[in-house]
Amino acid sequence: MTDVGTGLLSKDNRRSDIQGLRAVAAGLVVSYHAGLSPLPGSFVGVDAFFVISGFLITGMLMSEIGRSGTVSLTGFYARRLRRLLPAALFVLLVTLVAAKVLLPPLTLTEITRDVMFSAVHLGNFWFAYNGTDYLADPTPSLVQHYWSLGVEEQFYLIWPLFLLLVARKSDGRVRRTALWIGVAAAVSLALSVVVTDFSRGLAFFLLPTRAWELAAGALVALAIPLISTLPAAVKAAISWAGLVGLIVSAAVISDTLPFPGWIALLPVLSTCAMIAGNDTERGVRMLLALPPFQFIGKISYSLYLWHWPLFLIPALLLPRELNLLEKLGLTVVAVVLSWLTWRFIEETLRAAPVVTARKRRSYAMAAGMTVIVLLAGVVVGRLPALYTNAVAPEANIALASSGTEFPTSVPSNLQPTLLGARKDLPQIYEDKCEAAPADTTPIACEYGDTASDRTVVLFGDSHASQWFPAMERYASSRSTKLVTMTKSACPPVDIEMYSTLLQRPFTECDQWRAAALQHIAELKPDLVVVSAYSTVYSSVWQGTGDYDAAWSSGLTSVLTALPPTASTLVLGDTPHWKTAPAVCLSANLDNSAECVEPVGDVTDSALSNVEERAAAAAGADYVDSTQWLCNSTCFPMVGDILIYRDEHHLSAHASAALAPVLGAELDRMTPNGRPSS
């Protein structure tokens, strides 16, 4: 192999196929987010972008090292800032303004935090810290796509230093330099595989588990002189094989697989093949050089920035999914905005003499634009008072179903407040009494009169945990010991499930459920209350046939496994709202009637009937909790109480207020404190 820098790429416009490849990558990502792609794994376009970036940056840096023996770090960073920052910060600023104008106020605090972290290239760390699942988050951030920019900017920060170090250690030999890069790539890939196994979110968002993809592109850049000696027919075949591989990647990979990990090798190696073999006219270059590919490739960076908020904001505003015509229309708008941004921001600021004359001007521009976005975030994130001057009477939540205590405006004494709704959690969370998804051993916490010989067990997932405040009040007022046995995302129903968090069959749930049933038997309780988020598990159920039938069978199986000496109550699920009621109310402070929903839109009566029949078949009682919260309409608040903390959980205040009606049902089942015969 030749000396460092010989024959390497110095300017990306020497390869028209790279521009076309950007178009392919952008097309995959945009079509995936728009819901237009028939290929479930089109998100691998981001992996293609990583390979392209690693290839181009390494080619330019190694050429500079070959010419001068060093890298001008200040010059490199100045060029990166001019190339990437203006468009990225401009789109962030417009997104902030659009959110302020169009979205409910309660969403702005979270949005501004996301924007501010993204503005300083730490969005990927922020999303990873918050446990975001890019491939399965039902309420993604408006700027969640900026995670990849964070990865690339962090890579650009360290890569010149790394290359300079290894090039000097390698005495200017490409083979040795490639070996060092190969070792770094192997370590990063191994880390990606290991981390993906226990946390797809961390593996997806962080540079250490993604660096190998950029390093793969770097290795292709170093190998170009050797690859150029291959026959044209061989190179053409390699490039076409790469295109086929990338399409196959998008077709066979899906959001249910443990991605990135080993699976990401397919799109990464396919992209490497397209780049490596594509300097011949008989290769994929003949396709990628066509004007449509060149045009989309030219605006691909701005298109990546614009498409996500353009698709997401209308989806958040509309009470339905976007139709095909709307998606196509938004795609056209994204292309137009992207061309304008490329023409008047990207190209203008990248080459403007007022900026390029001195490197420090590039840094000043970057700092100034970043400060503007951060200040805008502070301003937008300052929320107005999310209540009116009205004062509501103390709630009698048992009357919620009548609607007689539904305030027409958000009262000043609402508890929890709209801003504090998501934090209004049952005490068992602070006490760490709910088992995590990976746990297999039940956490049995005792409350109420712990010395009592009368025991009631609360058993289920987080929709059982939401009833803890009511159950604790019941236990304390009846001299009863309450034992909680709940596990996040794990229903008290014997069904086969897949864990999107763990990216494999949810065997931990099966093990936990079996251990919980055994522990309940050992407790010999007088009463067991069972509840679950019944509708959500249909999306992760791994069985075949009818879900409702499987749920019925699985519930009956668990109920019959409970101690026969105990009374059992199946507590039907609570409503599931498309938008958290607190968010809706924040946009309708003076007209809260805008936030009520027909009962059929937020409940599943068919599944409730299935549960009721299954409970009866197992000799258990069933109570539909909807009767306490809705009539023909479901209400977001009653009196001075906000009923829901998010889209589908009761607030702790509401749960506590429901203690009398729940207690009455439990008393009916256990007269004189003992199970009825």
Side-chain angles (χ1 to χ4, degrees):
M1 299 183 79
T2 59
D3 290 342
V4 168
T6 304
L8 293 178
L9 194 69
S10 60
K11 292 185 181 294
D12 60 14
N13 58 11
R14 292 184 183 178
R15 292 274 303 265
S16 61
D17 58 291
I18 297 297
Q19 201 78 295
L21 182 52
R22 283 182 173 135
V24 173
L28 287 170
V29 174
V30 172
S31 64
Y32 174 73
H33 288 150
L36 295 171
S37 176
L39 307 176
S42 293
F43 54 82
V44 299
V46 175
D47 302 85
F49 272 127
F50 284 156
V51 176
I52 294 169
S53 296
F55 172 75
L56 294 174
I57 292 301
T58 302
M60 288 186 282
L61 288 172
M62 294 302 288
S63 292
E64 184 177 353
I65 293 173
R67 290 192 308 269
S68 63
T70 188
V71 170
S72 171
L73 295 176
T74 56
F76 172 80
Y77 295 137
R79 291 192 298 273
R80 290 297 89 200
L81 290 174
R82 291 197 304 270
R83 169 70 180 91
L84 300 174
L85 213 60
L89 292 176
F90 176 71
V91 174
L92 284 178
L93 189 60
V94 173
T95 301
L96 267 179
V97 173
K100 177 68 174 178
V101 173
L102 298 173
L103 297 182
L106 196 59
T107 64
L108 296 179
T109 299
E110 185 174 330
I111 289 170
T112 54
R113 269 181 288 198
D114 295 345
V115 165
M116 293 168 78
F117 274 98
S118 297
V120 294
H121 315 303
L122 294 174
N124 57 325
F125 281 99
W126 175 243
F127 296 129
Y129 170 78
N130 283 294
T132 303
D133 189 334
Y134 179 89
L135 301 177
D137 191 345
T139 55
S141 166
L142 289 181
V143 294
Q144 188 168 290
H145 61 312
Y146 272 69
W147 74 270
S148 63
L149 274 66
V151 169
E152 290 207 10
E153 292 293 350
Q154 293 152 25
F155 176 80
Y156 295 151
L157 186 65
I158 64 174
W159 196 242
L161 298 170
F162 176 79
L163 283 184
L164 190 58
L165 176 63
V166 299
R168 289 177 176 174
K169 276 186 161 296
S170 303
D171 297 323
R173 305 299 297 178
V174 170
R175 190 187 303 274
R176 293 179 183 176
T177 302
L179 179 62
W180 280 102
I181 294 176
V183 170
V187 171
S188 174
L189 174 59
L191 187 63
S192 178
V193 172
V194 171
V195 175
T196 299
D197 188 52
F198 70 84
S199 177
R200 180 170 73 170
L202 291 177
F204 196 95
F205 286 121
L206 299 183
L207 175 62
T209 51
R210 287 291 197 160
W212 68 273
E213 300 185 33
L214 293 115
L219 290 172
V220 175
L222 293 178
I224 287 294
L226 179 61
I227 295 171
S228 64
T229 64
L230 296 174
V234 173
K235 290 188 287 184
I238 291 173
S239 71
W240 285 107
L243 178 60
V244 171
L246 190 58
I247 295 172
V248 169
S249 300
V252 301
I253 295 173
S254 71
D255 57 13
T256 62
L257 296 177
F259 190 88
W262 288 110
I263 299 172
L265 278 168
L266 183 55
V268 168
L269 294 180
S270 297
T271 307
C272 288
M274 289 182 70
I275 297 173
N278 217 6
D279 68 343
T280 173
E281 297 300 330
R282 287 184 289 177
V284 179
R285 185 174 189 168
M286 64 188 295
L287 174 66
L288 300 183
L290 294 174
F293 287 94
Q294 293 298 296
F295 173 73
I296 296 299
K298 179 172 62 178
I299 66 169
S300 59
Y301 177 57
S302 288
L303 182 59
Y304 181 80
L305 297 175
W306 277 115
H307 82 282
W308 181 253
L310 276 175
F311 290 137
L312 194 57
I313 290 176
L316 293 174
L317 291 172
L318 293 175
R320 56 172 175 79
E321 291 188 4
L322 297 173
N323 60 41
L324 177 60
L325 187 60
E326 290 166 338
K327 291 176 181 178
L328 291 173
L330 288 171
T331 302
V332 172
V333 172
V335 170
V336 172
L337 287 176
S338 300
W339 182 84
L340 292 171
T341 305
W342 170 82
R343 173 65 181 83
F344 296 104
I345 296 180
E346 285 191 62
E347 289 297 291
T348 298
L349 293 180
R350 178 162 52 177
V354 68
V355 178
T356 59
R358 296 180 181 177
K359 286 180 283 191
R360 67 188 182 196
R361 293 183 182 178
S362 297
Y363 292 99
M365 176 196 70
M369 293 184 70
T370 302
V371 168
I372 289 172
V373 173
L374 294 177
L375 288 176
V378 171
V379 172
V380 171
R382 294 185 64 181
L383 299 181
L386 297 180
Y387 51 83
T388 67
N389 292 327
V391 177
E394 184 177 346
N396 179 354
I397 205 164
L399 298 177
S401 59
S402 71
T404 57
E405 293 193 3
F406 175 58
T408 57
S409 60
V410 177
S412 58
N413 59 332
L414 188 68
Q415 291 296 321
T417 64
L418 300 185
L419 191 59
R422 288 191 179 272
K423 297 180 181 178
D424 196 42
L425 300 167
Q427 181 66 32
I428 57 173
Y429 286 95
E430 185 175 337
D431 295 344
K432 301 187 184 306
C433 289
E434 181 173 283
D439 293 340
T440 58
T441 302
I443 303 173
C445 291
E446 296 183 356
Y447 296 92
D449 183 357
T450 58
S452 174
D453 64 350
R454 180 174 185 260
T455 302
V456 58
V457 172
L458 179 62
F459 175 44
D461 56 16
S462 66
H463 277 220
S465 296
Q466 71 179 341
W467 290 105
F468 170 78
M471 292 295 298
E472 183 186 32
R473 288 197 175 190
Y474 166 79
S476 297
S477 64
R478 305 300 198 279
S479 299
T480 297
K481 177 167 63 177
L482 170 64
V483 179
T484 61
M485 244 177 285
T486 61
K487 176 177 170 67
S488 177
C490 177
V493 176
D494 188 10
I495 58 170
E496 296 178 348
M497 291 198 313
Y498 186 87
S499 171
T500 56
L501 178 65
L502 301 173
Q503 290 301 292
R504 52 181 168 75
F506 201 2
T507 55
E508 287 84 355
C509 181
D510 298 328
Q511 297 171 42
W512 175 88
R513 189 187 307 113
L517 287 172
Q518 180 178 348
H519 191 55
I520 292 172
E522 294 169 355
L523 288 173
K524 298 179 180 178
D526 300 276
L527 175 64
V528 180
V529 176
V530 180
S531 193
Y533 187 10
S534 53
T535 56
V536 74
Y537 297 109
S538 61
S539 62
V540 291
W541 174 52
Q542 288 203 299
T544 57
D546 181 63
Y547 171 73
D548 285 8
W551 185 266
S552 175
S553 175
L555 179 59
T556 301
S557 174
V558 168
L559 294 177
T560 54
L562 291 171
T565 55
S567 292
T568 302
L569 172 66
V570 177
L571 192 51
D573 203 7
T574 46
H576 184 151
W577 304 67
K578 180 181 182 294
T579 301
V583 171
C584 179
L585 289 169
S586 74
N588 297 278
L589 297 177
D590 292 307
N591 186 19
S592 52
E594 288 292 322
C595 301
V596 303
E597 291 286 352
V599 66
D601 290 355
V602 293
T603 61
D604 186 342
S605 59
L607 192 54
S608 296
N609 292 335
V610 165
E611 287 189 328
E612 185 171 10
R613 290 193 297 269
D621 284 66
Y622 178 84
V623 171
D624 185 358
S625 65
T626 304
Q627 66 178 302
W628 301 327
L629 306 169
C630 313
N631 44 44
S632 60
T633 299
C634 290
F635 304 95
M637 56 185 176
V638 55
D640 61 344
I641 291 181
L642 179 66
I643 301 177
Y644 304 91
R645 74 171 188 258
D646 56 23
E647 293 83 354
H648 54 90
H649 289 100
L650 296 176
S651 68
H653 279 79
S655 177
L658 283 165
V661 290
L662 177 58
E665 291 291 342
L666 300 179
D667 287 342
R668 178 184 60 78
M669 295 173 58
T670 56
N672 303 318
R674 294 298 174 189
S676 57
S677 56

